[in-house]
Amino acid sequence: MKDSMAKPKKTQLRVPLNRDRVLMQALQLADESGIESFSMRKLAEALSVKAMSLYNHVKNKDDIIDGIVDIVASEIEVPDIGADWKASMRRRAKSAHDVLLKHPWATMEIVRRVNIGPAMLRYVDATIGCLREAGFSFEMADHAWNAIDSHIYGFTLQELNFPFEEEAYSEVAENYISLIPADRYPYLNGMTRQVMSGECDGIHDFEFGLELLLDGLETTLSESL
């Protein structure tokens, strides 16, 4: 009688595995631990499945990285074709910089892979379209797009890998000033002393370089029309 009165055990519903779930978990692991430590085994453990079951949804590790790179690309603001090209490219660049800082592993993967995911293709096509509709030739649009992206990727990598925090610049300058004697390195010494005194903050400015690029492209465009 006691057994018949026992309540049946609740079975825990398992969320079905699919490609989107695999990629989102992979993205989380990459953000948390970096792409270097990422593995299929760790991904399977995070999803509480056997590693072999992942291959029903992804081809291999490269397929996963391609997939999460495309997720990152989908987070970047796409330029408005036909709108003010300079404002659109400025927003695009700032958005890309912010997104890549949020996913510290992604910049290197973007620059060293052939990126043909739908989000990346849409992003690139809109970038070229924005520049073409503004009057740039295909050749100049290619140069412009690559110049801007070189600034985005290079600045982002430098920011992510810089050896000390911004608030420590003044202290670091003071620690290194003895290695920069004024009689040998007068200009670097002078700048370092301004960082020490607070006259110059020494902080790298993403928008400074971006505006130089956009202004230069604007001049190039006006001269070509």
Side-chain angles (χ1 to χ4, degrees):
M1 188 71 176
K2 184 177 180 181
D3 289 342
S4 64
M5 296 294 290
K7 294 181 179 179
K9 292 182 179 179
K10 293 182 178 180
T11 57
Q12 186 174 5
L13 294 176
R14 176 173 292 182
V15 179
L17 201 61
N18 55 43
R19 182 176 175 85
D20 286 345
R21 186 173 169 225
V22 170
L23 292 180
M24 291 307 297
Q25 183 65 64
L27 178 64
Q28 182 178 333
L29 289 177
D31 287 347
E32 291 174 351
S33 305
I35 207 72
E36 296 81 7
S37 64
F38 176 82
S39 70
M40 300 294 279
R41 179 183 60 79
K42 290 180 180 179
L43 177 58
E45 289 175 356
L47 289 164
S48 300
V49 299
K50 294 184 182 296
M52 289 304 296
S53 65
L54 296 175
Y55 294 97
N56 293 321
H57 309 282
V58 294
K59 296 177 184 176
N60 48 36
K61 182 177 175 180
D62 274 340
D63 184 31
I64 290 175
I65 296 176
D66 286 341
I68 61 177
V69 163
D70 206 52
I71 293 174
V72 172
S74 72
E75 298 177 8
I76 302 173
E77 181 174 340
V78 175
D80 295 326
I81 298 176
D84 182 317
W85 74 269
K86 198 172 179 183
S88 292
M89 296 302 287
R90 183 184 294 111
R91 288 195 302 271
R92 170 194 182 274
K94 291 180 181 179
S95 173
H97 180 55
D98 290 342
V99 168
L100 293 174
L101 289 179
K102 187 172 72 170
H103 304 287
W105 57 272
T107 302
M108 279 304 301
E109 292 304 321
I110 289 174
V111 301
R112 68 185 177 192
R113 304 181 84 82
V114 177
N115 301 294
I116 55 173
M120 182 64 81
L121 293 178
R122 175 173 173 265
Y123 169 62
V124 172
D125 185 71
T127 299
I128 297 170
C130 178
L131 294 168
R132 279 290 290 141
E133 293 303 319
F136 288 88
S137 66
F138 275 117
E139 182 180 13
M140 276 309 302
D142 188 35
H143 289 320
W145 156 43
N146 281 287
I148 293 170
D149 279 10
S150 293
H151 176 63
I152 295 168
Y153 299 145
F155 193 99
T156 302
L157 286 173
Q158 179 177 265
E159 188 170 350
L160 288 170
N161 293 283
F162 211 66
F164 40 83
E165 300 297 327
E166 291 179 357
E167 56 269 20
Y169 281 11
S170 178
E171 180 182 350
V172 171
E174 188 171 353
N175 292 339
Y176 280 90
I177 190 66
S178 62
L179 302 177
I180 315 171
D183 59 333
R184 294 184 63 187
Y185 313 107
Y187 304 107
L188 183 55
N189 180 281
M191 182 179 290
T192 303
R193 290 191 179 281
Q194 287 209 343
V195 173
M196 289 167 55
S197 68
E199 295 175 74
C200 172
D201 59 23
I203 297 173
H204 304 154
D205 187 348
F206 176 76
E207 294 186 31
F208 179 82
L210 176 61
E211 291 304 319
L212 288 178
L213 278 169
L214 293 175
D215 288 346
L217 290 171
E218 186 175 42
T219 298
T220 300
L221 177 61
S222 64
E223 291 175 350
S224 67
L225 296 176

